[in-house]
């Protein structure tokens, strides 16, 4: 049954891409999109979401089958892909507990985002093209998590890069959107190079590229320099795809695409690929403690760095974008510390509350856009300074967004509290008797690094509570700043948009029960840890060592996490509960945090402009034109010479032809005789 159903997971969204793509091509007016009145083909509204909902149904059926009878990884091979000498790569998919979990998240949350998109994109002339790209995105993400080898995973890895380019730059007639799509592609190529080098090292070392074969060999080489090198290059790929410092700069600009695209990229698909890769390659990373410790440190620095920037963003989607970068940092702290279940647990809960936040923001933007259109205003519908008091007009969205804000801040018993606390507690546990504690980084003992990572995580939790509550207060509470004409038409989003938001709110409320800690026996304990144990359990135990926490310490850490969240929320509410007339609220906010520390400006000055200058002045004007002149001049001389010889030989003189024939015959006879 599993072998029969597994191919459907990828076939269904691919079929949706083909059907919607064909409709998009047939409904173009010649040079642009179809007119808005004809763009929304009814079949698109059925096929686009329907393909992903059907894939989710298949995923649920596979999950139920796995619960009943599952002896180990199911590997399905469709044929050879690259049979070259000793290298033979198969088109194969692997289903195990980790990939099954990812499939459920991708198709489940993806289905809700597709349904939301029906209402959000209904007036867009690129409606069919949008759903074609969205289906393609999900198909490639499923290839990524189901691939049975690193090369097959890499196909999905590059595929989601392509789909993200198409979706981020969806409104490509706007130069800024087109540039954002290109930026995502270029920055990710840096990480992809690391992934490619890692695959080459794996092949040279093991003569295998499938997970089971390669991990079996590399698992026995723990502590070697080659395993360390492979782990570092793999993490470079992860840092690009999952936006870790310094390769995070593409993700905030990914907001250029439609808001549901942001929800899909940030919550359930592309940016989680790096975290998935670390968990999938756990036998490699657990054999390289130095690399794992480095991952945890970079994750903590990324989490803090992005959280500080989010404090002064005014675009509601930019706040959420930097929040995603920060939360990804938490996930890497978890998997870097060898707490693979904790990192994946936060990936799952984050998919719930971050998709909820983005779709809620989409409902707000949708309402503000229509209100401004009605009032003939051209203000930015995403600017928090133009909102306020929306709870009176959009109570369902406001309630759901409030719940998601409390979850990401870490308020019990919501999902984010359990997953974030498990990561921080795991870091403290690893600081006591684990291989991470006994290793060193830059001459500093691992124990010091781990306690530093915990401290950064706590500070980041405080900042998270502050900036998320700030966003909530500016958008939904306090004085309404939209204007009298706009207030008359502000209303809740249509049911097709509100229903997915409410479903995600329910998942945010109960998602933490997936992996309850033992000291809080409110229900089944450690469900997710037991589920993932066949895939990551051995690797996690290797990095855990003898480190563990007693119940008193765990309760203390829970208390600290909760106290920090409450403190941050209280500070933000006290600051933003009433309008403040100060420089921070002016449209011309030029503060360092509002400009994201000026990192983009530095990259432009240090990297982009010099490269452009090199390409234009040296390569294009110098080398390329010089080569053209050489070949053009040389080609002209050669052509003239050949023409001159040809005209002399073919001048109609029969005597000359006879002498040439005799000379040729003599030369041929001589050549044959000498040979």
């Amino acid at each position: 049954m599993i072998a029969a159903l597994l191919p459907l997971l990828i076939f269904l969204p691919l079929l949706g891409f083909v059907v919607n793509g064909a409709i998009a091509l047939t409904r173009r007016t010649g040079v642009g999109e179809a007119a808005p009145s004809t763009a929304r083909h009814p079949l698109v509204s059925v096929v686009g979401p329907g393909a992903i909902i059907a894939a989710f149904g298949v995923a649920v059926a596979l999950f139920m089958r796995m619960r009943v009878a599952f002896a180990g990884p199911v590997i399905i091979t469709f044929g050879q892909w690259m049979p070259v000498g000793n290298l033979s790569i198969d088109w194969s998919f692997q289903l195990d507990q980790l990939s099954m979990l990812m499939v459920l998240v991708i198709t489940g949350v993806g289905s809700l985002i597709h349904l939301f998109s029906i209402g959000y994109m209904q007036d867009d002339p690129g409606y069919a093209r949008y759903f074609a790209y969205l289906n393609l995105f999900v198909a490639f993400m499923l290839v990524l998590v189901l691939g049975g080898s690193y090369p097959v995973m890499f196909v999905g890895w590059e595929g989601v890069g392509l789909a993200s380019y198409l979706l981020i730059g969806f409104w490509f007639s706007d130069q800024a959107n087109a540039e954002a799509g290109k930026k995502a592609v270029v920055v990710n190529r840096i990480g992809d190079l690391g992934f490619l080098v890692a695959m080459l090292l794996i092949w040279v070392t093991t003569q295998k590229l499938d997970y089971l074969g390669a991990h079996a060999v590399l698992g026995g080489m723990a502590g070697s320099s080659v395993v360390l090198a492979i782990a570092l290059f793999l993490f470079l790929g992860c840092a690009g795809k999952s936006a870790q410092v310094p390769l995070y700069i593409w993700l905030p600009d990914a907001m250029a695409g439609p808001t549901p695209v942001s929800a899909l990229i940030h919550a359930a698909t592309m940016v989680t690929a790096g975290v998935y890769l670390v968990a999938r390659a756990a036998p490699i990373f657990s054999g390289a403690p130095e690399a794992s410790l480095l991952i945890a440190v970079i994750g903590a620095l990324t989490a803090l760095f992005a959280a500080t920037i989010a404090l002064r963003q005014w675009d509601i989607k930019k706040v959420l974008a930097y929040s995603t970068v920060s939360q990804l940092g938490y996930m890497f702290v978890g998997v870097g510390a060898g707490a693979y279940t904790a990192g994946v647990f936060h990936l799952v809960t984050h998919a719930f509350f971050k998709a909820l936040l983005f779709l809620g923001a989409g409902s707000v933007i949708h309402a503000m856009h229509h209100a401004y259109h009605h009032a003939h205003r051209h203000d930015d519908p995403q600017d928090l300074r133009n909102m306020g008091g929306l709870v009176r007009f959009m109570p369902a969205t406001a309630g759901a967004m409030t719940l998601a804000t409390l979850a990401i801040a870490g308020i019990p018993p919501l999902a984010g509290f359990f997953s974030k606390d498990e990561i921080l507690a795991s870091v403290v546990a690893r600081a006591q008797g684990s291989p991470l504690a006994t290793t060193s980084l830059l001459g500093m003992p691992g124990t010091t690094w781990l306690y530093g990572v915990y401290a950064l995580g706590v500070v980041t939790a405080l900042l998270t509570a502050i900036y998320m509550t700030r966003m909530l207060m500016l958008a939904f509470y306090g004085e309404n700043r939209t204007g009298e004409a706009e207030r008359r038409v502000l209303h809740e989003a249509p049911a097709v948009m509100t229903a997915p938001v409410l479903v995600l709110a329910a998942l945010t409320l109960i998602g933490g029960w997936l992996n309850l800690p033992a000291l809080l026996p409110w229900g089944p304990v450690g469900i997710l840890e037991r589920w993932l144990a066949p895939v990551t359990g051995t690797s996690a135990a290797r990095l855990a060592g003898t480190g563990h926490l007693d119940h008193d310490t765990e309760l203390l850490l829970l208390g600290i996490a909760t106290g920090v969240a409450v403190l941050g929320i209280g500070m933000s509410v006290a600051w933003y509960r009433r309008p403040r007339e100060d420089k921070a609220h002016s449209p011309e906010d030029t503060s360092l945090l509002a400009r994201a520390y000026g990192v983009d400006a530095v990259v432009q000055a240090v990297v982009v402009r010099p490269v452009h200058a090199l390409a234009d002045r040296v390569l294009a004007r110098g080398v390329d034109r010089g080569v053209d002149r050489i070949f053009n001049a040389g080609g002209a001389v050669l052509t003239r010479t050949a023409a001159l010889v040809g005209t002399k030989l073919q001048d109609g003189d029969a005597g000359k032809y006879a002498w040439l024939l005799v000379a040729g015959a003599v030369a041929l006879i001589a050549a044959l005789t000498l040979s």
Side-chain angles (χ1 to χ4, degrees), residues 10 34 52 55 92 113 152 183 189 215 218 227 257 289 331 345 366 383 407 461 483-484 546 577 585 593 652 660:
I10 298 170
I52 310 304
S92 63
I113 294 170
V152 177
K183 186 176 182 179
R189 296 292 74 73
H215 294 169
L218 294 173
V227 172
M331 296 177 208
F345 183 27
H366 184 266
D383 196 321
E484 184 62 34
T546 59
R577 64 183 174 184
H585 289 253
L593 293 181
L660 288 173

Side-chain angles (χ1 to χ4, degrees), residues 41 278 288 331 334 342 374 392 487 500 532 586 603 661:
H41 193 292
V278 176
M331 296 177 208
H374 175 80
R392 299 192 293 275
R487 282 193 286 271
L532 293 178
S586 71
V603 172
L661 179 62

Side-chain angles (χ1 to χ4, degrees), residues 150-166:
Y150 286 103
V152 177
M153 179 198 282
F154 193 70
V155 172
W157 190 274
E158 292 299 293
V160 294
L162 167 65
S164 69
Y165 167 74
L166 296 172

Side-chain angles (χ1 to χ4, degrees), residues 103-145:
V103 166
L104 287 170
V105 171
I106 294 165
T107 56
V109 177
S111 296
L112 297 173
I113 294 170
H114 276 69
L115 287 172
F116 182 92
S117 296
I118 295 175
Y120 191 86
M121 298 294 291
Q122 62 180 341
D123 296 325
D124 195 283
Y127 188 75
R129 178 168 62 91
Y130 169 83
F131 273 105
Y133 292 166
L134 215 60
N135 287 166
L136 182 66
F137 198 116
V138 173
F140 275 126
M141 190 65 196
L142 290 171
V143 171
L144 190 155
V145 300

